[in-house]
Amino acid sequence: AEEWLKEGLRLQGLARYQSAVDAYQMAQSFKPDFLDAFYNMGVAYGCMEENGIDALHKAVWVFKKSIDINPQFIHSYTALGASYIKQGELELAIEVLNRAVIVDPKDSNVFYYLGIAHRMNSQITEAVKNMKLAVALKPDSVQMQYYLGLSLMDSQLYEEACHAFKDVVRIKPDFADGHFMVGKLYREQFPDADKSHYHLKRAEKLFMKLEDYQRVGQIRQLLSRRPA
């Protein structure tokens, strides 16, 4: 079982996801309740979904099985919650992730995915609360700080949102979306032409490198308007 698990991980590292799944299934044939094989099979199915293969329902089944095998394995909960979010099953995601909080109240990913699910479900107060908990546990996460900023903007807490986005570009100075949001806030909510111009020009340059010309166009439109 261990050898087939290693082979599955090797194949997964080569992006050969179906072959990795086959290897994990071989591992399970030797050890039917092999948690590592089930969990990594779910990850492989998730990667297949990202590559355009309809496999998310299989990932959900596998992660549920992983929780049945070991109800204390926190990664299965976050992976299942993330899978439900991708399926648009937001209430199920919230239910699973609330169970995960009981299992491990110090896992930042649990609160991050709870924040995402609540935000998508238009429960903005809950989204902000959970994103703040995620950031408190992992303050140098670009992704968590960024989504905290978006949730705060949804709540019209623009000053707090600006602080979150500034933390994003402090952690990752070449993060184009972070500069864009800071520049947008300085242009539209508490006008400061110099700061707005600086961050929007940084974002423009970074989006040019990414060849994201739609965002470049948005920035140029913002720059052409007078600050509010």
Side-chain angles (χ1 to χ4, degrees), residues 26-40:
M26 285 298 296
Q28 289 159 14
S29 71
F30 289 100
K31 190 175 174 182
D33 281 348
F34 194 3
L35 176 62
D36 287 352
F38 273 104
Y39 175 74
N40 284 293

Side-chain angles (χ1 to χ4, degrees), residues 43-113:
V43 173
Y45 279 134
C47 293
M48 288 165 70
E49 179 74 24
E50 287 171 11
N51 283 288
I53 298 165
D54 182 19
L56 200 53
H57 61 291
K58 294 180 182 178
V60 165
W61 183 86
V62 171
F63 290 134
K64 286 168 79 173
K65 178 68 176 172
S66 301
I67 291 170
D68 289 341
I69 294 168
N70 183 354
Q72 299 303 308
F73 189 61
I74 194 65
H75 303 297
S76 297
Y77 290 91
T78 52
L80 179 57
S83 299
Y84 277 140
I85 288 168
K86 285 179 185 172
Q87 284 187 325
E89 299 277 3
L90 301 176
E91 294 295 341
L92 284 173
I94 290 165
E95 185 267 324
V96 165
L97 293 163
N98 279 328
R99 283 163 54 202
V101 172
I102 298 165
V103 174
D104 187 352
K106 293 191 180 297
D107 189 297
S108 59
N109 287 317
V110 172
F111 294 108
Y112 168 72
Y113 284 117

Side-chain angles (χ1 to χ4, degrees), residues 153-211:
M153 280 194 71
D154 293 338
S155 297
Q156 299 184 346
L157 298 169
Y158 298 119
E159 196 164 341
E160 283 187 67
C162 194
H163 283 303
F165 292 129
K166 284 198 281 190
D167 277 332
V168 168
V169 297
R170 172 186 59 79
I171 299 162
K172 189 176 181 185
D174 63 347
F175 190 63
D177 284 296
H179 285 289
F180 175 72
M181 296 308 296
V182 176
K184 194 171 189 295
L185 282 166
Y186 275 126
R187 182 148 294 250
E188 296 178 344
Q189 298 303 328
F190 22 87
D192 185 318
D194 291 340
K195 287 179 180 175
S196 174
H197 187 268
Y198 169 77
H199 286 286
L200 288 174
K201 292 302 283 184
R202 282 291 303 276
E204 181 186 27
K205 190 179 289 188
L206 290 163
F207 281 126
M208 283 291 286
K209 274 188 186 176
L210 296 168
E211 298 183 2

Side-chain angles (χ1 to χ4, degrees), residues 127-152:
V128 169
K129 182 183 85 173
N130 283 287
M131 282 300 176
K132 282 184 173 180
L133 288 166
V135 166
L137 289 163
K138 198 172 181 182
D140 283 342
S141 166
V142 169
Q143 203 170 10
M144 291 176 190
Q145 289 279 8
Y146 182 72
Y147 278 94
L148 171 59
L150 293 179
S151 301
L152 289 163

